[in-house]
Amino acid sequence: MGKSFFIADTHFGHDAIIRYENRPFANAEEQDKVLIENWNSVVTDEDEVFLVGDFSAYDKEKNTEIVNSLKGRKILIIGNHDTEDPQYYLDCGFDEVYRFPILFKGFFLVSHEPLYLNTNMPYANIYGHVHANPSYKDASIQSFCVSAERINFTPIPMEGIGAAMAKARAEAGERAVKNK
């Protein structure tokens, strides 16, 4: 197995999301093209990609075409806009589909919506759903947002998530030392 990548909120075929989230695309077709190109520029067939919800607004035929055009082993965590039964997404070509958050590498809770984690919990959360909402940080000590807008519409490797969280941890440690 190759690397593990994450991305959320692709919203293939969803024109309105461009307006709602100020995405830099003229229309859904341009958005789809960029998302597919960006995905395939970093992911290989040996890699796995966790699509952390809100996959597409298209019909089954077009969804199947999109899934088949994307490299890697594809795992969908169902989001609030993914309204079909899990079997539907498996039929479209996803390798695995989950209705609920999953535990990745025994430490990362992968969920469409952000989860509450207190500082004493031995977990971190990889999530989407919030898009570019400034109320949420890109990375913190215990979380990382993989909404497409925050990661340049390109799946991010687990190493990138780990590095960003380590940086947030280091910065929090520096602030704590300064405040003593």
Side-chain angles (χ1 to χ4, degrees):
M1 180 59 72
K3 293 181 176 182
S4 297
F5 288 84
F6 296 81
I7 188 168
D9 306 306
T10 51
H11 288 274
F12 286 102
H14 191 193
D15 277 309
I17 200 69
I18 296 166
R19 210 174 48 256
Y20 297 157
E21 295 298 331
N22 298 309
R23 288 185 170 188
F25 308 111
N27 52 45
E29 292 76 27
E30 180 186 346
Q31 173 182 265
D32 297 350
K33 182 178 182 284
V34 169
L35 284 164
I36 292 167
E37 286 175 358
N38 288 359
W39 181 304
N40 289 334
S41 73
V42 297
V43 175
T44 71
D45 288 331
E46 291 76 43
D47 297 329
E48 65 183 359
V49 182
F50 292 84
L51 203 164
V52 189
D54 292 355
F55 160 57
S56 175
Y58 285 122
D59 65 17
K60 191 172 190 175
E61 182 179 340
K62 183 68 173 177
N63 286 337
T64 301
E65 179 186 319
I66 289 171
V67 173
N68 289 330
S69 73
L70 299 170
K71 291 181 184 176
R73 187 169 182 279
K74 294 161 283 289
I75 301 151
L76 176 65
I77 310 298
I78 289 180
N80 58 302
H81 288 277
D82 302 318
T83 58
E84 301 293 338
D85 185 83
Q87 187 61 50
Y88 169 93
Y89 299 103
L90 290 167
D91 292 345
C92 289
F94 281 95
D95 296 285
E96 296 178 40
V97 177
Y98 297 95
R99 281 190 187 275
F100 303 104
I102 63 167
L103 186 60
F104 177 74
K105 297 203 181 246
F107 180 72
F108 295 93
L109 294 166
V110 183
S111 60
H112 177 61
E113 295 182 24
L115 300 174
Y116 169 75
L117 299 177
N118 70 44
T119 56
N120 298 316
M121 293 175 91
Y123 299 105
N125 184 208
I126 297 171
Y127 64 90
H129 185 65
V130 300
H131 295 270
N133 183 330
S135 298
Y136 295 85
K137 294 179 180 181
D138 291 347
S140 75
I141 294 169
Q142 285 182 283
S143 67
F144 191 92
C145 182
V146 295
S147 288
E149 294 85 358
R150 294 176 185 252
I151 56 173
N152 199 31
F153 304 94
T154 307
I156 184 169
M158 187 65 224
E159 296 80 12
I161 293 171
M165 291 177 70
K167 181 179 178 196
R169 239 183 330 278
E171 290 170 353
E174 290 170 12
R175 282 191 303 276
V177 168
K178 243 186 203 179
N179 292 334
K180 278 191 169 185

